[in-house]
Every structure is written in structure tokens, then in C-alpha cells.
Amino acid sequence: MYTDNTDNKLIIFLNSAGVAIAYAMLGISLWLSTDVPLATKGYWGMAVLLLTLSLINVVKYRFDHRSSEDRIRKIEDARNEKLLEDALMDAKQDI
């Protein structure tokens, strides 16, 4: 369990570093680009930020949906196990 947590932290760190580097590179390219008007640079910057927010929301909703499915599956497994135990207890009492 400990290694999974460490692996997750490493993956999150690498992804965060990648996003930070991508933003820095975008910022540098927009800053150094003299052929593009400032208004266009602003629209590009807003588009990238809004796309990032949308992607975060998509990932969050997919994660929530997956955890909900896992929770439902665990409840169904526990219910099925309880039904099997009850059936076995009834079978023992009948004998």
C-alpha cells in the first residue's frame, strides 16, 4: 500500500511538472512572439486556461464516476456474500 501512495505522488509530481513546463513554454513563446497582436495572445492564453479547467473537470467527474461504481460493486459483493452465508446457514439447519 505504501508503494502505491509513493507511485501516485511521483506520477502527480511528474504531471504537475509537465503542466508547469508547458505553461512556461507557452508564456515564453507568447512573450517573444512579435508578429502576433496582444489581443490574440490574450485569447490564446484564455483558451489554454479554460481548456485546462475543462480537462480537470473531466478527470474529476470520471474519477468520481469510477469510485461510485467501485462503491456500488463492493456493496453488491457484500450483499451477495451475505445471501450466500444465509443460504448456507439455512442448508445447515435443514440437515
Side-chain angles (χ1 to χ4, degrees):
M1 199 85 160
Y2 178 73
T3 57
D4 291 339
N5 191 14
T6 303
D7 291 343
N8 286 341
K9 286 182 181 179
L10 177 63
I11 290 169
I12 290 171
F13 172 75
L14 289 175
N15 285 327
S16 300
V19 169
I21 291 170
Y23 275 135
M25 291 174 71
L26 175 70
I28 291 170
S29 70
L30 289 176
W31 181 265
L32 296 177
S33 174
T34 56
D35 296 337
V36 179
L38 184 61
T40 304
K41 291 179 185 182
Y43 282 120
W44 287 350
M46 287 187 295
V48 169
L49 288 176
L50 291 174
L51 178 62
T52 302
L53 288 173
S54 297
L55 290 174
I56 289 170
N57 284 331
V58 166
V59 170
K60 180 195 176 300
Y61 288 132
R62 288 192 66 198
F63 179 78
D64 289 347
H65 181 68
R66 182 175 291 162
S67 68
S68 175
E69 285 178 347
D70 288 344
R71 191 175 310 121
I72 290 170
R73 183 185 45 80
K74 286 179 183 180
I75 291 170
E76 288 176 351
D77 288 345
R79 183 191 57 157
N80 290 338
E81 186 175 327
K82 177 69 173 156
L83 289 172
L84 284 173
E85 285 178 7
D86 291 344
L88 287 175
M89 292 301 279
D90 289 342
K92 275 186 179 181
Q93 290 175 356
D94 290 341
I95 294 178

